[in-house]
Amino acid sequence: MSRQKGNFAEDQAISYLQNYNFLVIDRNYSSRFGEIDIIATKERVLHFIEVKSGQYDPIYQITPTKLSKIQKTAQIYMSTKKLDMDFCFDALIITEEIEFIENITQG
């Protein structure tokens, strides 16, 4: 996906999250392991959110390898920012509709 399309999808995602009372605190946070699209808080929980868009089940683009990179990057983020709070990993899927999937690491 091009950066332009990615930014458009993330802009849509941020609008969606703000409508549901999330406070977006960071965007496109990078570490040597990877990138987290959106970092937001809601009700004292930190949400690391991966945004995926496309026509054919974009949720499947979040592979175990990708998720591992997001988790490592989140650890660095929390350590760097000296955060000690509850957190979870979420996906926001944009197709014709927007679907928010909370806590994608729960099996």
Side-chain angles (χ1 to χ4, degrees), residues 59-101:
I59 186 69
Y60 294 111
Q61 296 171 25
I62 304 174
T63 63
T65 301
K66 174 76 170 169
L67 194 53
S68 174
K69 290 177 180 181
I70 292 168
Q71 290 171 316
K72 289 176 183 173
T73 300
Q75 288 173 342
I76 291 169
Y77 182 86
M78 292 186 72
S79 175
T80 301
K81 304 286 184 179
K82 297 181 175 28
L83 297 175
D84 181 20
M85 60 192 297
D86 291 336
F87 63 92
C88 65
F89 300 93
D90 309 324
L92 204 148
I93 308 303
I94 300 173
T95 54
E96 292 85 34
E97 300 174 358
I98 296 178
E99 180 183 7
F100 182 69
I101 304 168

Side-chain angles (χ1 to χ4, degrees), residues 27-45:
R27 182 173 174 172
N28 300 320
Y29 178 82
S30 293
S31 78
R32 62 191 171 116
F33 297 109
E35 180 183 84
I36 297 172
D37 294 328
I38 297 172
I39 302 170
T41 61
K42 182 177 180 181
E43 298 170 0
R44 290 186 246 142
V45 175

Side-chain angles (χ1 to χ4, degrees), residues 5-56:
K5 284 182 183 176
N7 285 339
F8 180 73
E10 287 171 19
D11 290 344
Q12 285 182 291
I14 286 171
S15 292
Y16 176 89
L17 292 167
Q18 289 171 336
N19 285 339
Y20 286 91
N21 300 317
F22 283 83
L23 175 64
V24 175
I25 58 172
D26 219 329
R27 182 173 174 172
N28 300 320
Y29 178 82
S30 293
S31 78
R32 62 191 171 116
F33 297 109
E35 180 183 84
I36 297 172
D37 294 328
I38 297 172
I39 302 170
T41 61
K42 182 177 180 181
E43 298 170 0
R44 290 186 246 142
V45 175
L46 191 62
H47 294 261
F48 297 99
I49 303 165
E50 179 69 11
V51 177
K52 290 296 179 191
S53 63
Q55 293 180 320
Y56 306 105

